[in-house]
Amino acid sequence: MFTPQGPTFRELAVQALSSVEHGYDLLAPKFDHTPFRTPDAFLRSVERALTGMGPFGRGLDLCCGTGAGMDVLGTVCWESVTGVDISAGMLAEARRRERPGGPSPAWVRCDALALPFGPVFDLVVSFGAFGHFLPRELPGLFEQVHSVLRPGGRFAFPIMAPARPGSPGYWAMLGFDAAMKVRNAVWRPPFVMYYRAFRLDDVRRELTRAGLTVELHALSEFGRRDDGSPRCRMVVATKPGPAV
């Protein structure tokens, strides 16, 4: 993270003491040089899985950041692709890194909890953004996704299996979340980012309550844990009805 291209410790500290929106505005020019950007291995794995389900017409990248996930949509969608994010700075970087090929992307600044669209999308994806939503916000978030999907449309995203209790990854995430809770208890505005708040059982329940049918697809490239379960899955939630 602390490379010549990435943010300095001071820059990260300033970001962490900002709101989510302003923090990402500050981080945007160097975001692609941090571990927070979704690794290409995840993007390509999801792209391969969605290719087998598509093609799709219109695609939406929810909380698109600097647009890495838009490359996935550009491959699997033939009609249009749209990226939404609350950070103007992240969207500016996304526009700057646009790549030729596929549908010309549209960029919209908005809150994911108040999407300005009707039911026009065949596919919604999201990568690495759900830690910015508190558990109590998931019903509203998934209701928004349901509202912008066409009948038969799909909402797809990867989710990693939780770290084994007692492992270094487990303690790292536990420590990060504890630090964020302390930060938000003593400092305003809050910066919502929790690694352990997005749990598969809760996600399946809330997606179902939002009226979506949920399937899980193992992303085999990431292997399996000792108990045989996948290390990474793609959640695919479908809006009932015949595809348009």
Side-chain angles (χ1 to χ4, degrees), residues 1-238:
M1 186 181 299
F2 304 111
T3 66
Q5 296 80 25
T8 64
F9 180 81
R10 181 183 181 279
E11 288 171 330
L12 285 174
V14 171
Q15 182 220 6
L17 294 175
S18 305
S19 66
V20 174
E21 178 182 346
H22 184 55
Y24 276 105
D25 285 346
L26 296 172
L27 185 61
K30 298 183 178 181
F31 179 80
D32 285 350
H33 299 288
T34 72
F36 306 126
R37 180 192 183 275
T38 302
D40 286 340
F42 285 93
L43 298 172
R44 299 288 77 79
S45 182
V46 170
E47 181 181 306
R48 284 189 288 270
L50 290 175
T51 298
M53 300 178 185
F56 301 91
R58 297 181 177 181
L60 174 71
D61 187 353
L62 189 70
C63 306
C64 66
T66 56
M70 291 286 280
D71 295 337
V72 175
L73 287 183
T75 299
V76 301
C77 297
W78 59 268
E79 186 174 350
S80 69
V81 295
T82 302
V84 300
D85 202 277
I86 198 171
S87 166
M90 296 289 269
L91 290 173
E93 286 298 308
R95 292 186 182 95
R96 189 182 64 80
R97 67 176 295 280
E98 283 182 21
R99 297 177 181 176
S104 180
W107 307 101
V108 178
R109 181 177 176 269
C110 68
D111 188 336
L113 296 172
L115 295 174
F117 310 107
V120 297
F121 294 104
D122 304 288
L123 175 65
V124 176
V125 298
S126 194
F127 297 94
F130 296 118
H132 294 302
F133 299 92
L134 297 171
R136 66 173 181 269
E137 295 176 311
L138 291 185
L141 177 67
F142 294 157
E143 287 170 7
Q144 285 293 298
V145 173
H146 183 280
S147 73
V148 302
L149 284 172
R150 291 175 172 177
R154 291 170 170 150
F155 177 33
F157 53 89
I159 185 169
M160 289 292 297
R164 178 176 55 82
S167 67
Y170 173 87
W171 290 115
M173 288 188 288
L174 184 66
F176 181 91
D177 285 2
M180 291 303 297
K181 287 181 179 179
V182 172
R183 178 255 186 247
N184 289 331
V186 301
W187 192 267
R188 292 291 183 272
F191 190 94
V192 177
M193 180 62 204
Y194 297 108
Y195 281 108
R196 300 174 67 249
F198 196 71
R199 297 184 174 92
L200 181 57
D201 288 345
D202 298 335
V203 169
R204 294 182 70 173
R205 181 180 66 251
E206 296 303 337
L207 286 169
T208 301
R209 285 181 178 175
L212 299 164
T213 301
V214 181
E215 297 178 342
L216 301 178
H217 299 261
L219 298 177
S220 58
E221 295 93 332
F222 300 98
R224 293 184 175 271
R225 305 201 299 174
D226 292 341
D227 62 4
S229 61
R231 294 186 184 277
C232 186
R233 293 179 170 97
M234 182 174 71
V235 177
V236 179
T238 304

